[in-house]
Amino acid sequence: MACANSRGAVLKAEGHTTGLKPAQTRALERLYRRRVPRSLVVTPDLAGHLLDLSDEIGRRLGCLIRRDGVIERVLVGDAVKLKLPDLGHVRAGTVRFRGLRLVHTHLRPEPLNREDLVALTHHRLDLTAAIWRNPAGGARMIELAHLVPPQPGRSDPFARMGPMLVERLDLDLDRHLRELEAEFARAVKSRRVDGRDRAILVHVAVRGETTHAEMEASVAELRELARTAGVDVADVVVQVRERRDARTILGKGRLEDLNTSAMQLDADLVIFDHELTPAQARSIGDATDRRVIDRSQLILDIFAQHAESQDGRIQVELAQLKYMLPHLARRDDALSRLTGGIGARGPGETKLEESRRRVRERVARLEREVKELARRRRQRRAERSRTGVPVVAIVGYTNVGKSTLLNTLTGSDVVAEDKLFATLDPRSRRLRFPRERDAVIIDTVGFIRRLPEALLDAFRATLEEMREADLLVHLCDASDPEVERQVSTVEAILAELELGGTPRVLVANKIDRVTPDDARRVCERLGAIPCNALEPASTLPVVREIGRRLFPDDHALLPAESPGGVR
């Protein structure tokens, strides 16, 4: 007679059960009737019974046992491995364990292997234990492993006990787990003093596609994006492959290592330096049981933090929703809701479909608001155009000092931070020249390499301002080793935006951070004007060049005074 749980459902063995005799199937189902005391990992009697059944069917057997001693699931593997089913999410974050321990057999006298330990860390089991017979005399042996909090000098996130005779195992399991979870709680509390997310950054390079220097620059930029977003980087994983895995980007072994590191480092977030498809994000999330985002989502999060105007906030939300919509692909038929009445009979609308519909409705509403805001911006630009005041837009790679230059030139106090995308909303200020000559100078959002198409909507206000500009001041960072690549990236983006024909001035900022000889060489290579945006006197050549380009009829034109004066 098959066993049943409290709801009357029949409890059956799971896994590789094909080919078992009826008597063997019934013997496996009777395992559900057994109980293990809370203080014991396994009783000698149950260990012997599992080994007898395993020898009889020639396959590995395992039991997932709850803390109250009830056998939750009986699992059947093959001769060399035992695969755990999907156990769902861990019950309580990074402090408590799953509340299940795995006791399983090995047909040969071998200790816990890599797959056993990966399952322990991935599923966050209370512990895992392997039992086998000693060939010399048939004694029942056991080895177990349990998770441990990270400590300096400890490379593995687990500790092992044994091998030893089953009868010699002296461990008060109930007390041991309570003490271990308390130790995890203390470790997490001491680490999470600021409440920030902890993340592991992942970059997978394809051999032959990028150089080592380009790979290092990409990882450094991702790290800086994470810092700007307020994320604590716990580790960085870099892998070079012949090609990226279509399902998980990383290879299987490295993905298992990633999961182990995430558990050991208490990382609740994995950030990929690549565009992830919805299917890839789900596969990696299922494999690691952690939040998974890609580079685009990280940039959108930074945009959301830095958008201050109504225009900026609406555009960022719109970009986020458009990016999120394809990712709403996980079906959950258990969340379906039934409706009744004339014209509304049938299965109704699932939670997924309802979420999609609401997102699409919100997108349509935001697009209408964006069109209205764009109309108002056109009116403002038309008014400015009627006055005949020329417009100068400061463009460049993110975090090269565009806001600092605007402040120095105009004496304003626009927020300037040492972070990527500190400025999202365009800021315009007046720059005054002699003989009642004025110009409007605009600070724009910084560019970045591999700018995803989905993010261009969040740049819309800035792009419109740039298209109306009479002159572009392309600012670069002379102290950055990647300055030439960054200049090329900005030029390529400007060309894609059909702004390649707009006159521009190239300015090399932050020359105070390099030697005079290095600054001279960089400026000569790029054909740039040297500048230290923090020093008003250093920006005078920039202002002279702007004046010469905007007012070519007056060759003697100079600023009314040092930048930052009359405004």
Side-chain angles (χ1 to χ4, degrees):
M1 180 177 177
C3 295
N5 61 14
S6 59
R7 297 183 179 180
V10 176
L11 297 175
K12 297 183 178 181
E14 306 175 44
H16 186 47
T17 58
T18 304
L20 294 180
K21 298 177 181 178
Q24 294 170 338
T25 301
R26 289 193 296 271
L28 292 173
E29 291 173 350
R30 284 196 293 271
L31 289 172
Y32 285 106
R33 301 179 183 177
R34 292 179 173 264
R35 297 292 182 270
V36 180
R38 295 181 65 96
S39 60
L40 299 182
V41 175
V42 63
T43 62
D45 180 61
L46 177 58
H49 190 56
L50 285 173
L51 287 170
D52 291 342
L53 285 174
S54 187
D55 290 340
E56 180 182 347
I57 66 177
R59 304 174 190 179
R60 288 190 178 186
L61 295 180
C63 290
L64 285 169
I65 307 173
R66 298 194 323 225
R67 291 193 184 182
D68 59 5
V70 174
I71 295 179
E72 180 87 4
R73 302 170 92 158
V74 175
L75 309 174
V76 182
D78 57 25
V80 294
K81 64 179 180 295
L82 179 73
K83 183 178 180 180
L84 265 65
D86 181 15
L87 301 179
H89 293 289
V90 181
R91 60 183 181 144
T94 58
V95 173
R96 302 178 68 191
F97 302 141
R98 187 172 291 276
L100 293 172
R101 62 186 179 274
L102 174 65
V103 178
H104 66 288
T105 63
H106 284 183
L107 295 179
R108 297 192 296 269
E110 56 183 359
L112 293 166
N113 57 30
R114 175 184 171 85
E115 289 185 353
D116 297 331
L117 299 171
V118 167
L120 168 70
T121 57
H122 174 63
H123 294 287
R124 204 168 177 81
L125 299 173
D126 287 356
L127 60 80
T128 186
I131 53 176
W132 65 89
R133 292 190 192 278
N134 189 331
R140 294 167 299 196
M141 308 297 294
I142 187 170
E143 184 189 30
L144 57 89
H146 60 81
L147 300 175
V148 291
Q151 292 181 1
R154 175 182 288 165
S155 58
D156 293 325
F158 50 80
R160 305 171 81 141
M161 297 178 60
M164 66 184 75
L165 293 172
V166 172
E167 292 79 6
R168 295 262 181 99
L169 179 60
D170 182 19
L171 177 69
D172 187 335
L173 181 62
D174 187 52
R175 179 181 175 182
H176 172 75
L177 291 175
R178 281 189 279 107
E179 292 176 348
L180 199 55
E181 287 186 335
E183 189 177 350
F184 266 93
R186 287 191 296 270
V188 170
K189 184 177 180 180
S190 63
R191 184 185 300 122
R192 295 295 186 95
V193 293
D194 53 4
R196 299 198 304 175
D197 284 328
R198 287 175 61 83
I200 294 180
L201 310 184
V202 180
H203 177 92
V204 180
V206 176
R207 187 173 284 108
E209 282 190 1
T210 58
T211 65
H212 183 72
E214 290 172 337
M215 183 173 62
E216 287 187 339
S218 183
V219 171
E221 193 168 87
L222 185 65
R223 185 188 289 272
E224 187 64 17
L225 285 168
R227 183 184 73 86
T228 301
V231 174
D232 181 15
V233 177
D235 193 16
V236 177
V237 174
V238 177
Q239 185 181 32
V240 179
R241 295 172 53 86
E242 293 299 327
R243 62 179 181 274
R244 297 186 183 99
D245 188 276
R247 184 168 173 267
T248 58
I249 306 293
L250 287 162
K252 180 181 177 182
R254 188 56 65 89
L255 188 63
E256 292 175 351
D257 293 340
L258 172 64
N259 186 41
T260 300
S261 297
M263 195 285 303
Q264 185 179 18
L265 299 172
D266 188 25
D268 47 17
L269 181 64
V270 180
I271 304 176
F272 275 77
D273 192 21
H274 314 279
E275 294 294 309
L276 298 179
T277 66
Q280 288 172 337
R282 288 195 302 274
S283 297
I284 299 168
D286 290 341
T288 61
D289 201 24
R290 278 160 177 81
R291 287 184 293 134
V292 177
I293 66 173
D294 60 18
R295 188 170 177 271
S296 296
Q297 288 171 284
L298 183 61
I299 294 174
L300 277 172
D301 184 82
I302 296 171
F303 282 9
Q305 293 181 42
H306 294 168
E308 297 178 0
S309 68
Q310 179 190 14
D311 200 343
R313 288 193 295 268
I314 289 176
Q315 289 174 8
V316 169
E317 183 184 358
L318 180 60
Q320 286 178 319
L321 291 176
K322 285 185 174 180
Y323 190 87
M324 181 179 67
L325 189 57
H327 291 73
L328 293 175
R330 186 191 296 270
R331 292 196 61 86
D332 188 354
D333 294 332
L335 294 178
S336 297
R337 55 181 176 86
L338 301 180
T339 62
I342 301 299
R345 300 185 187 277
E349 182 180 45
T350 65
K351 193 71 174 177
L352 170 65
E353 291 163 349
E354 182 182 6
S355 298
R356 283 175 170 170
R357 175 175 55 80
R358 289 181 176 176
V359 169
R360 284 192 291 265
E361 289 173 352
R362 180 64 177 165
V363 166
R365 186 171 0 4
L366 290 175
E367 285 179 336
R368 290 193 296 269
E369 294 184 28
V370 165
K371 289 179 180 179
E372 174 61 23
L373 291 169
R375 184 186 63 81
R376 296 176 187 173
R377 286 197 302 272
R378 285 195 298 272
Q379 290 177 342
R380 291 194 296 269
R381 287 196 300 272
E383 179 65 25
R384 191 167 60 199
S385 179
R386 281 194 292 271
T387 64
V389 177
V391 176
V392 179
I394 306 175
V395 302
Y397 212 75
T398 182
N399 202 30
V400 295
K402 295 183 296 299
S403 298
T404 302
L405 180 62
L406 177 73
N407 287 338
T408 301
L409 293 180
T410 64
S412 53
D413 56 354
V414 170
V415 175
E417 298 181 274
D418 184 21
K419 293 181 178 180
L420 305 187
F421 301 113
T423 299
L424 178 61
D425 301 304
R427 306 293 180 84
S428 59
R429 297 293 186 271
R430 186 172 293 269
L431 178 62
R432 181 159 297 171
F433 292 87
R435 305 180 188 179
E436 300 301 322
R437 300 288 186 95
D438 291 340
V440 173
I441 187 164
I442 299 172
D443 180 22
T444 64
V445 67
F447 291 126
I448 198 168
R449 65 186 184 84
R450 294 191 284 124
L451 183 65
E453 187 73 23
L455 300 183
L456 287 179
D457 277 343
F459 282 84
R460 184 175 298 177
T462 287
L463 300 181
E464 291 176 358
E465 296 289 354
M466 285 192 293
R467 289 194 176 100
E468 296 294 327
D470 300 285
L471 178 68
L472 300 179
V473 174
H474 181 174
L475 196 66
C476 64
D477 182 355
S479 66
D480 196 308
E482 297 290 315
V483 59
E484 294 184 50
R485 181 186 61 81
Q486 293 177 357
V487 169
S488 299
T489 296
V490 173
E491 291 294 336
I493 294 174
L494 292 174
E496 290 177 9
L497 299 174
E498 300 179 354
L499 294 171
T502 305
R504 69 199 65 186
V505 175
L506 184 59
V507 178
N509 187 29
K510 305 184 183 181
I511 59 171
D512 57 309
R513 298 188 180 183
V514 295
T515 65
D517 288 341
D518 287 341
R520 186 182 65 256
R521 282 192 290 269
V522 168
C523 292
E524 288 176 352
R525 283 201 313 269
L526 298 176
I529 300 173
C531 169
N532 174 9
L534 293 171
E535 293 293 334
S538 179
T539 63
L540 280 173
V542 179
V543 181
R544 289 193 185 100
E545 183 64 18
I546 293 173
R548 188 183 70 81
R549 296 290 192 95
L550 295 180
F551 311 108
D553 56 316
D554 194 339
H555 299 292
L557 193 67
L558 291 175
E561 54 181 277
S562 295
V566 177
R567 301 291 167 257

